[in-house]
Amino acid sequence: MNSLHSTSHSVHVLEFISQFRSTPKLCLLKRDVTSNLENFGSNLFSNSTASISIKAARDGVDTAVVVEEEGPKLRKFQVFEGHPAPFGATFRDGGVNFAIFSADAVSATLCLISLSDLPENRVTEQFFLDPLTNKTGDVWHVHLKGDFKDMLYGYKFDGSFSPEEGHYYDPSQIVLDPYAKAVISRGDFGVLGSDDNCWPQMACMIPSADDKFDWEGDSLLKYPQRDLIIYEMHVRGFTQHESSRTEFPGTYLGVVEKLDHLKELGVNCIELMPCHEFNELEYYGYNSVLGDYKVNFWGYSTVNYFSPMTRYSSAGTCNCGHDAINEFKLLVREAHKRGIEVFMDVVFNHTAEGNERGPILSFKGVDNSVYYMLAPKIYGAIFQYSCDCCEPSFTLCYYKESSIIIQVVGTHSIATILSYWVIEMHVDGFRFDLASIMTRSSSLWDAVNVFGSPIEGDLLTTGTPLGSPPLIEMMSNDPILRDVKLIAEAWDAGGLYQVGMFPHWHIWSEWNGKFIKGTDGFSGAFAECLCGSPDLYQEGGRKPWNSINFVCAHDGFTLADLVTYNEKHNLANGEDNNDGENHNNSWNCGQEGELASISVKKLRKRQMRNFFLCLMVSQGVPMIHMGDEYGHTKGGNNNTYCHDNYINYFWWDKKEESSSDFFRFCRLMTKFRHECESLGLNDFPTAERLQWHGHAPGTPDWSETSRFVAFTLIDSVKCEIYIAFNASHLPVTITLPERPAYRWEPLVDTGKPAPFDFLSGDLPERDTAMKQYSHFLEANLYPMLSYSSIILVLLPVDNA
């Protein structure tokens, strides 16, 4: 019989025990006992319990094997041939089917590890898979029935260990299933494993029939992208600070407790920094500058793409990762209830296994040459490709990591991963870290494949950018993925910069990294940004909402630091200030650092309001970085990847202090954007809707020395709005466009102190503030301070 087994052969356990005790030729039971193998940074295991080699009968009947019990720890399992699909561990037919792709392995062993044996580096039970009956093509598989309570799994593969040829098979290593739905190791974030091990053994969750979650009718929100205001968030950093006063700080549940803050701010989409399983202790080390320990706080170093980060859950390792999955689902469900979409930041350009000298955790030990893009031989060795700029400054080697998966378990794997998060986790979209690597050609380094003809010697070439990269094309045409938001960080560390040119199929959006600084010659480029960057996106057939606009993101200055520091101050990272970007496009307003004069501090607040206003009135999709809404500072550190402390934590007490100041301004600006039909257009504005102005109506100044931009915008809700930016160091009095039977009413003036920077309807002194403008407005004039911006709305004269 083929690999589909009959249920009649899985009901009488005692009969199977009797059968295989009387016919030992069908099942070779053997005992493997080895000493504990300890090695820093490795996951070498000892086999402390039963091992079993599986051979099926040849008489056309499906065969089940039961492990004989030799001690109190052993459990009875019925063993069947299993099925080659789907990949991973799947609950079916009253048991669990295990299937994993490995083309070059000569043997495979399924290892079961109890939750109690995991920290002791013990395999509880293992099953040697017969390549004749437990392998279909390049897929190894087995089906087990039995008691899986508190049980995890992993694999051992044997084969060639020849790094020079790109193979890393090591039968002493337990490796993770790339398709595991949860990964278990340590339970608490930042806490070392036994014997102070930063890389304790990890194992995979086994699914069960009880894996259920009540979505309460939830589904994807499917907002038009033009209506989004995105909030880039770090799950742990959002509530880990003691001032959050949450019941579960630093977790998915902690975020749930604070979702109402996001609702108040006016965002309707959160973009979660990496929540796939990663090891925060990846480069753990003492930081003598701060007296604490450096960790991988950001998480751009994936261990497993299907597993949510278990140490972001309050449950930790409890229930073998099932509860961590449900906590992530709860976060998505509760966000959706508040009208907030959930995006994930995903990292397919490298993994935690690093380069050829990195640890063997999963992909590398399963089938390195399939899962990774490999460079050609250099000095007799194969290296893995570098497409990562997120790493700290380690010793430079020829090539860093790349986990672009390019074959049958490759391009399809990425689509499968993303579809899983959409279907099972209800995720609304994805932001792809260093996405340009996914547009490069595959690493078929045979000279004929690469160049079309043989060449002499070893020539190193990088992946050539493709006009129609198959991976991007597949995702763009996938029936599930084309219905969610796909956002590219359109560059990579290899120097490929594709902002405005990323292959898109009218689906993909981009982080628009071309932000304009207010200096001489900025006016024309700034006007393009205000219109949604048609210079980048219109010719390719895209829309304004394909531009994700941002002033700040996780890697760079915060908004407060952008106006406080000219230079990076990264000494706290312990790298002698050598890490991080040197060109920050920042201005400290005259004095470097927090200690500054009152006038400088006032100017900084004005500049922060200018930046936020610009973000909210530009066509495209605005993105706010966590903490910028209250003016979070990182002390001028623009590369805080390694800090699990106050530097990266959201300070809720500071937010409360600023609620009557900058936070108020931000929430009123987001509210204004949502109210205006004209600030989230589906297409680029034309002259029928938008008119440019200078100091006088209809006379814009696009000269190299101009630092003034103004425009009016027809709006079906607000009638018409007037917006102006004065980036000059000099004040100016402007003439407003005449509108017979209408009058201009001030709404926003960043040159005014709070709360008069935004004249909301509920402001007690609003009428008094209005009178201060009256003599200017009666003359159709308005005075603007240096470095300020304004919004006025058009009202009928009889609406005075």
Side-chain angles (χ1 to χ4, degrees):
M1 183 181 289
N2 60 21
S3 59
L4 296 174
H5 67 272
S6 168
T7 56
S8 64
H9 294 101
S10 61
V11 291
H12 300 299
V13 175
L14 294 179
E15 291 181 12
F16 287 119
I17 295 176
S18 175
Q19 173 186 353
F20 285 96
R21 281 179 176 169
S22 61
T23 56
K25 64 180 180 179
L26 298 181
C27 175
L28 302 179
L29 294 177
K30 63 181 181 180
R31 191 76 139 157
D32 284 348
V33 180
T34 61
S35 61
N36 277 310
L37 300 175
E38 297 182 357
N39 188 2
F40 177 77
S42 72
N43 53 3
L44 301 181
F45 252 56
S46 68
N47 302 316
S48 62
T49 52
S51 302
I52 186 166
S53 178
I54 304 167
K55 290 183 76 70
R58 291 280 178 261
D59 58 1
V61 178
D62 278 342
T63 306
V65 179
V66 176
V67 178
E68 289 197 9
E69 189 168 344
E70 296 194 15
K73 288 188 177 181
L74 297 186
R75 311 183 191 188
K76 298 182 178 66
F77 287 94
Q78 301 174 46
V79 185
F80 302 87
E81 291 180 8
H83 308 268
F87 291 166
T90 308
F91 184 83
R92 59 177 294 174
D93 303 326
V96 178
N97 189 78
F98 300 87
I100 187 168
F101 178 99
S102 183
D104 295 311
V106 297
S107 72
T109 303
L110 173 67
C111 301
L112 299 186
I113 308 162
S114 70
L115 205 54
S116 58
D117 278 341
L118 183 65
E120 302 300 324
N121 281 10
R122 285 196 300 263
V123 174
T124 308
E125 301 183 27
Q126 57 184 350
F127 305 87
F128 298 97
L129 306 187
D130 185 346
L132 297 179
T133 58
N134 296 103
K135 187 179 181 185
T136 303
D138 293 325
V139 181
W140 300 82
H141 49 80
V142 65
H143 187 271
L144 301 182
K145 292 185 179 181
D147 179 13
F148 291 100
K149 180 176 175 54
D150 292 334
M151 195 70 80
L152 307 166
Y153 79 100
Y155 288 96
K156 294 180 183 179
F157 289 98
D158 199 358
S160 172
F161 188 88
S162 51
E164 69 279 1
E165 295 180 357
H167 298 304
Y168 289 85
Y169 290 110
D170 183 351
S172 69
Q173 300 274 2
I174 303 290
V175 295
L176 298 172
D177 182 353
Y179 281 75
K181 301 308 184 290
V183 171
I184 297 299
S185 60
R186 299 169 291 104
D188 298 314
F189 191 95
V191 177
L192 294 168
S194 58
D195 299 323
D196 292 339
N197 191 351
C198 293
W199 286 99
Q201 176 62 44
M202 295 176 282
C204 309
M205 180 197 79
I206 297 177
S208 74
D210 299 326
D211 292 344
K212 296 177 182 178
F213 178 79
D214 184 5
W215 281 104
E216 300 180 0
D218 177 73
S219 60
L220 303 188
L221 295 181
K222 296 185 179 181
Y223 290 144
Q225 187 159 311
R226 64 180 181 271
D227 294 336
L228 295 183
I229 296 179
I230 300 174
Y231 186 89
E232 187 190 32
M233 170 197 291
H234 188 283
V235 168
R236 180 172 173 83
F238 193 53
T239 62
Q240 184 61 26
H241 195 270
E242 59 183 10
S243 64
S244 74
R245 292 188 286 275
T246 54
E247 184 177 358
F248 303 103
T251 67
Y252 303 122
L253 295 185
V255 175
V256 172
E257 293 182 66
K258 292 295 188 179
L259 283 174
D260 289 338
H261 162 73
L262 301 176
K263 187 72 174 176
E264 181 186 12
L265 179 57
V267 302
N268 55 8
C269 175
I270 53 177
E271 181 178 295
L272 303 178
M273 289 175 66
C275 287
H276 289 145
E277 185 68 26
F278 67 91
N279 181 10
E280 73 279 9
L281 302 180
E282 181 177 1
Y283 31 83
Y284 184 81
Y286 183 69
N287 185 350
S288 60
V289 179
L290 295 183
D292 61 2
Y293 289 85
K294 295 171 63 173
V295 299
N296 177 7
F297 187 75
W298 285 350
Y300 288 89
S301 196
T302 307
V303 168
N304 179 276
Y305 289 102
F306 287 92
S307 171
M309 177 61 169
T310 54
R311 288 174 300 288
Y312 282 171
S313 72
S314 65
T317 59
C318 294
N319 201 17
C320 295
H322 296 270
D323 290 348
I325 293 174
N326 285 342
E327 284 191 24
F328 185 92
K329 291 179 176 180
L330 180 68
L331 166 57
V332 176
R333 188 189 73 189
E334 295 307 304
H336 285 176
K337 283 182 180 179
R338 291 163 177 81
I340 300 173
E341 291 193 340
V342 179
F343 291 0
M344 292 185 70
D345 195 339
V346 293
V347 187
F348 291 112
N349 55 78
H350 66 287
T351 76
E353 290 182 307
N355 57 19
E356 68 282 354
R357 293 176 291 185
I360 299 173
L361 307 173
S362 179
F363 312 99
K364 185 184 290 187
V366 174
D367 203 325
N368 182 74
S369 62
V370 166
Y371 280 104
Y372 288 105
M373 183 185 292
L374 304 179
K377 292 182 179 181
I378 303 177
Y379 307 118
I382 282 186
F383 294 87
Q384 289 171 223
Y385 241 145
S386 173
C387 304
D388 173 29
C389 67
C390 299
E391 289 231 48
S393 52
F394 291 134
T395 301
L396 183 65
C397 60
Y398 281 103
Y399 301 101
K400 293 286 185 186
E401 56 270 27
S402 166
S403 62
I404 298 301
I405 308 174
I406 55 174
Q407 299 186 24
V408 65
V409 283
T411 303
H412 295 279
S413 277
I414 291 180
T416 302
I417 290 164
L418 301 176
S419 296
Y420 170 81
W421 286 94
V422 174
I423 297 170
E424 295 296 328
M425 305 298 225
H426 291 202
V427 167
D428 300 275
F430 304 93
R431 178 263 187 187
F432 294 79
D433 183 62
L434 300 177
S436 288
I437 180 59
M438 298 190 295
T439 71
R440 294 182 183 269
S441 59
S442 64
S443 53
L444 299 175
W445 292 113
D446 175 80
V448 175
N449 285 331
V450 176
F451 303 106
S453 61
I455 60 172
E456 294 183 3
D458 287 321
L459 178 64
L460 175 65
T461 61
T462 58
T464 302
L466 302 174
S468 298
L471 175 55
I472 304 300
E473 181 177 14
M474 170 174 285
M475 286 190 281
S476 303
N477 292 290
D478 185 274
I480 294 171
L481 300 181
R482 68 175 291 109
D483 205 28
V484 300
K485 283 84 172 181
L486 303 177
I487 302 171
E489 184 183 35
W491 54 86
D492 67 22
L496 182 56
Y497 192 81
Q498 296 178 307
V499 172
M501 300 174 290
F502 191 85
H504 55 83
W505 279 268
H506 302 284
I507 298 292
W508 287 77
S509 301
E510 298 172 11
W511 267 25
N512 187 347
K514 295 189 175 182
F515 183 74
I516 304 300
K517 186 180 180 182
T519 55
D520 287 347
F522 96 110
S523 57
F526 183 60
E528 295 277 5
C529 291
L530 292 170
C531 292
S533 299
D535 57 324
L536 296 176
Y537 301 111
Q538 190 168 32
E539 184 177 345
R542 283 190 280 182
K543 305 294 184 180
W545 46 264
N546 290 121
S547 173
I548 308 299
N549 304 323
F550 62 100
V551 177
C552 302
H554 65 275
D555 49 352
F557 280 158
T558 66
L559 184 57
D561 290 348
L562 193 68
V563 300
T564 306
Y565 299 93
N566 283 351
E567 308 295 335
K568 66 182 182 183
H569 295 264
N570 295 2
L571 287 175
N573 299 349
E575 301 184 45
D576 297 325
N577 209 39
N578 291 319
D579 63 306
E581 177 59 56
N582 291 319
H583 306 286
N584 295 288
N585 290 325
S586 60
W587 180 45
N588 62 17
C589 298
Q591 290 179 270
E592 185 79 356
E594 296 288 329
L595 297 177
S597 66
I598 293 176
S599 60
V600 166
K601 289 184 176 180
K602 286 182 178 179
L603 177 55
R604 288 172 178 174
K605 287 188 175 182
R606 194 186 314 164
Q607 287 287 73
M608 289 172 62
R609 292 191 287 264
N610 290 334
F611 279 120
F612 199 86
L613 185 149
C614 171
L615 190 61
M616 288 301 128
V617 301
S618 295
Q619 300 298 326
V621 178
M623 185 184 79
I624 307 167
H625 177 54
M626 182 184 86
D628 280 348
E629 70 267 33
Y630 70 82
H632 180 75
T633 177
K634 297 181 180 180
N637 193 329
N638 68 1
N639 188 34
T640 60
Y641 69 93
C642 59
H643 297 290
D644 182 26
N645 56 36
Y646 67 93
I647 295 176
N648 280 319
Y649 295 167
F650 189 106
W651 301 354
W652 291 93
D653 49 353
K654 296 295 183 182
K655 177 259 175 179
E656 294 303 325
E657 289 175 12
S658 71
S659 358
S660 60
D661 190 353
F662 191 59
F663 177 71
R664 172 185 177 272
F665 181 84
C666 291
R667 66 176 176 81
L668 289 174
M669 278 304 309
T670 59
K671 182 174 182 288
F672 177 75
R673 179 182 175 88
H674 284 308
E675 291 172 347
C676 293
E677 164 268 342
S678 62
L679 294 182
L681 296 177
N682 193 50
D683 215 334
F684 297 99
T686 64
E688 294 179 352
R689 180 186 286 269
L690 183 147
Q691 184 179 7
W692 297 105
H693 306 288
H695 294 163
T699 58
D701 182 0
W702 306 120
S703 67
E704 284 296 308
T705 57
S706 173
R707 291 192 174 201
F708 184 86
V709 173
F711 63 97
T712 48
L713 201 58
I714 302 297
D715 188 273
S716 63
V717 177
K718 302 291 185 181
C719 185
E720 190 173 4
I721 57 180
Y722 178 94
I723 302 172
F725 298 88
N726 180 25
S728 170
H729 65 288
L730 299 174
V732 62
T733 298
I734 60 174
T735 302
L736 299 172
E738 292 189 5
R739 298 290 186 262
Y742 288 86
R743 63 182 179 85
W744 291 106
E745 180 175 279
L747 179 67
V748 179
D749 187 339
T750 64
K752 303 293 183 182
F756 303 107
D757 50 0
F758 198 114
L759 299 178
S760 58
D762 60 351
L763 185 65
E765 301 94 343
R766 184 174 183 275
D767 291 340
T768 302
M770 284 292 185
K771 290 179 181 179
Q772 297 176 355
Y773 297 99
S774 58
H775 61 290
F776 283 101
L777 294 173
E778 288 172 1
N780 221 37
L781 302 173
Y782 193 90
M784 293 185 68
L785 286 182
S786 60
Y787 308 113
S788 69
S789 49
I790 61 172
I791 300 177
L792 290 81
V793 295
L794 193 66
L795 296 175
V797 171
D798 58 6
N799 195 21

